[in-house]
């Protein structure tokens, strides 16, 4: 059983990170995938899933490019897992939107998938994948 500030979950997963923007939000994870050929500079056309962000989603992404900003405006939170600086685009934009952001947590991609229910608590510096996500994934495995 996981116990974090009043939240009790069995089978839940917790990932630690660093606060990028204060606050707490719960929603569906929207994982942004990156397919960048080796040696190329990162561009918007290397990202997939950005166009699918909906109101209330928690966007899980390696980085935030300027061209992506208008596409993630409706998100309730960010997890910018490859960002290590508070002055990076992801945490800075999250602060402008007044939504929570967690940075510097590359292990998140081995724990969270798109449509998982997650809570981002930037004040406590953790991301929680809810038990309901864990249970549904277990049922889908052979």
């Amino acid at each position: 059983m996981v116990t974090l500030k009043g939240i009790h979950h069995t089978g839940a997963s917790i990932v630690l990170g660093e606060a990028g923007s204060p606050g707490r939000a719960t929603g569906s994870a929207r994982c942004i995938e990156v397919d960048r050929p080796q040696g190329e500079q990162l561009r918007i056309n290397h990202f997939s899933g950005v166009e699918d962000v909906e109101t209330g989603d928690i966007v899980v992404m390696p980085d935030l490019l300027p061209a992506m900003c208008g596409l993630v405006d409706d998100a309730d939170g960010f997890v910018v897992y490859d960002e290590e600086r508070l002055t990076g685009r992801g945490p800075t934009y999250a602060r402008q939107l007044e939504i929570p952001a967690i940075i510097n947590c590359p292990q998140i991609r081995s724990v969270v998938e798109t449509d998982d229910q997650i809570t981002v608590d930037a004040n406590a510096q953790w991301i929680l994948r809810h038990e309901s996500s864990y249970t549904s994934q277990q049922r889908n495995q052979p």
Side-chain angles (χ1 to χ4, degrees), residues 70-114:
L71 300 172
V72 298
D73 279 351
D74 292 332
D76 277 2
F78 291 166
V79 177
V80 191
Y81 54 86
D82 282 346
E83 180 61 67
E84 297 179 354
R85 301 166 294 131
L86 288 174
T87 56
R89 282 184 297 265
T92 299
Y93 196 57
R95 289 189 297 273
Q96 290 175 354
L97 295 174
E98 297 180 347
I99 61 174
I102 296 278
I103 61 173
N104 196 19
C105 54
Q107 67 277 24
I108 190 76
R109 288 302 291 129
S110 64
V111 176
V112 173
E113 296 180 14
T114 290

Side-chain angles (χ1 to χ4, degrees), residues 40-140:
E40 280 193 30
Q41 183 178 358
L42 191 60
R43 297 192 176 108
I44 187 72
N45 62 325
H46 297 134
F47 289 84
S48 62
V50 178
E51 62 283 347
D52 299 327
V53 174
E54 297 179 4
T55 301
D57 284 348
I58 308 294
V59 181
V60 179
M61 59 191 154
D63 195 3
L64 177 69
L65 297 180
M68 295 167 60
C69 289
L71 300 172
V72 298
D73 279 351
D74 292 332
D76 277 2
F78 291 166
V79 177
V80 191
Y81 54 86
D82 282 346
E83 180 61 67
E84 297 179 354
R85 301 166 294 131
L86 288 174
T87 56
R89 282 184 297 265
T92 299
Y93 196 57
R95 289 189 297 273
Q96 290 175 354
L97 295 174
E98 297 180 347
I99 61 174
I102 296 278
I103 61 173
N104 196 19
C105 54
Q107 67 277 24
I108 190 76
R109 288 302 291 129
S110 64
V111 176
V112 173
E113 296 180 14
T114 290
D115 295 326
D116 283 350
Q117 287 297 303
I118 63 174
T119 295
V120 173
D121 190 328
N123 302 328
Q125 301 186 13
W126 52 256
I127 303 118
L128 173 74
R129 189 180 102 226
H130 294 266
E131 179 181 358
S132 59
S133 299
Y134 177 81
T135 304
S136 64
Q137 286 182 357
Q138 292 297 333
R139 278 192 222 128
N140 293 332

Side-chain angles (χ1 to χ4, degrees), residues 1-62:
M1 175 180 287
V2 175
T3 303
L4 288 173
K5 296 195 180 204
I7 299 174
H8 303 282
H9 288 278
T10 303
S13 298
I14 298 170
V15 177
L16 301 177
E18 298 175 31
S21 176
R24 181 176 180 173
T26 298
S28 292
R30 180 68 50 205
C31 297
I32 307 304
E33 303 297 331
V34 180
D35 184 19
R36 175 176 62 173
Q38 187 173 356
E40 280 193 30
Q41 183 178 358
L42 191 60
R43 297 192 176 108
I44 187 72
N45 62 325
H46 297 134
F47 289 84
S48 62
V50 178
E51 62 283 347
D52 299 327
V53 174
E54 297 179 4
T55 301
D57 284 348
I58 308 294
V59 181
V60 179
M61 59 191 154

